[in-house]
Amino acid sequence: MSPIDEEQLQGLQGVRDFLRIRTSYDVLPLSFRLIVLDNDLLIRKSLSILIQNNIVSAPLWDSHNGRFAGLLTSTDFINVIQYYNQFPEQIDNVEKFRLSSLRDIEKAINVQTLETVSVHPGRPLYEACSRMLRSRARRIPLVDVDDETGRETVVSVITQYRILKFIAVNTEQHTSLMKKTIREINLGTYTDLATCKMTDSVLDVINSMVVRNISAVPVIDKNNVVLNVFEAVDVIPCIKGGAYEELKSTVGEALAQRPEDFPGIYTCQEDDRLDSIFQTVRQSRVHRLVVIDDDWHLKGILSLSDILKYVLFYGEEGEYFPHT
Ligand code: ADP
């Protein structure tokens, strides 16, 4: 093994050891707010609550059984949009659907029902990460159970973004050893990329996100130059008036509705080393990186799950599953 390979593995091992001795509690800030939505709430109202509070997801609570009932995310709204497109005669029911109907909507449009995985906040962070990656979820709720009453409490939700940031901020001595380029370790997706144009309809882009189970699509021009990235959360402002069936906006119009504090998109190149990617994650609000060449042509996409999977599982017998 070359010295650079050895160093890389040493870095990976260091991060894995760190994740095994830290718990999900360690990732949480000292003080935070958590908005939990009752499962009986109307879907339309839940959307306004997310918008008012400037959040893009929330845990759901089944108050009849006193149990955690899953996570509400932008994917659920995308499913509702799909539902009205497939069953336009149901549009009169738009006012009536409650969050508890989301599972029926998933079934009706035949999308894979998301497992309601959760993890105890006191378990090692490594476990929270691997559960999240195996279930393809981008965030995982931390659910505590009272020993005596058996009652569940949702403590918080942690995202891939938060975990990667936590790794980047706290394990620089390990991540700085990862000197291989993303090309050398084949990190990210470079073939069969889902892309869109500014003039495409949001509905078409949503369709491709649902079919491919991805949450972001690079926006390119006719020369394959990257202009922006359309994200699943960009759908939320488009439907805020409840106009699911009139979703006629183009990608360009939807992107114009982004909040002023939108952090922007992040790019990298195939010759960038993993240590420099971690440096970007440490310093910025990165949710994915678009891989480009010197002239901004689209080459690939590097998602947070691609990075986390590599960091957790690469080199572990039978564990690494980069493109599932
Ligand atoms: P995201 O939430 O950014 O869509 P995921 O982590 O769910 O990312 O991505 C799952 C897999 O799909 C990753 O391997 C990622 O590289 C790939 N992927 C993400 N976006 C696209 C896209 N637009 N086209 C093709 N593959 C993609």
Side-chain angles (χ1 to χ4, degrees), residues 109-168:
I109 62 167
N110 213 3
V111 293
Q112 210 182 343
T113 313
L114 284 181
E115 272 179 273
T116 41
V117 282
S118 63
V119 71
H120 189 283
R123 299 293 305 161
L125 195 50
Y126 190 93
E127 185 175 325
C129 289
S130 50
R131 272 204 198 187
M132 191 157 49
L133 293 172
R134 281 173 214 290
S135 67
R136 290 211 61 182
R138 295 171 182 97
R139 50 188 78 228
I140 188 165
L142 306 178
V143 178
D144 202 347
V145 184
D146 186 305
D147 286 343
E148 277 169 28
T149 60
R151 270 185 76 89
E152 294 186 334
T153 314
V154 187
V155 176
S156 187
V157 176
I158 49 171
T159 56
Q160 293 185 350
Y161 167 77
R162 236 181 201 298
I163 293 176
L164 217 47
K165 187 84 157 178
F166 188 68
I167 294 174

Side-chain angles (χ1 to χ4, degrees), residues 264-281:
I265 70 165
Y266 289 89
T267 59
C268 66
Q269 299 208 341
E270 284 175 278
D271 290 328
D272 285 345
R273 299 183 340 191
L274 194 52
D275 59 350
S276 77
I277 304 275
F278 270 108
Q279 203 169 335
T280 312
V281 171

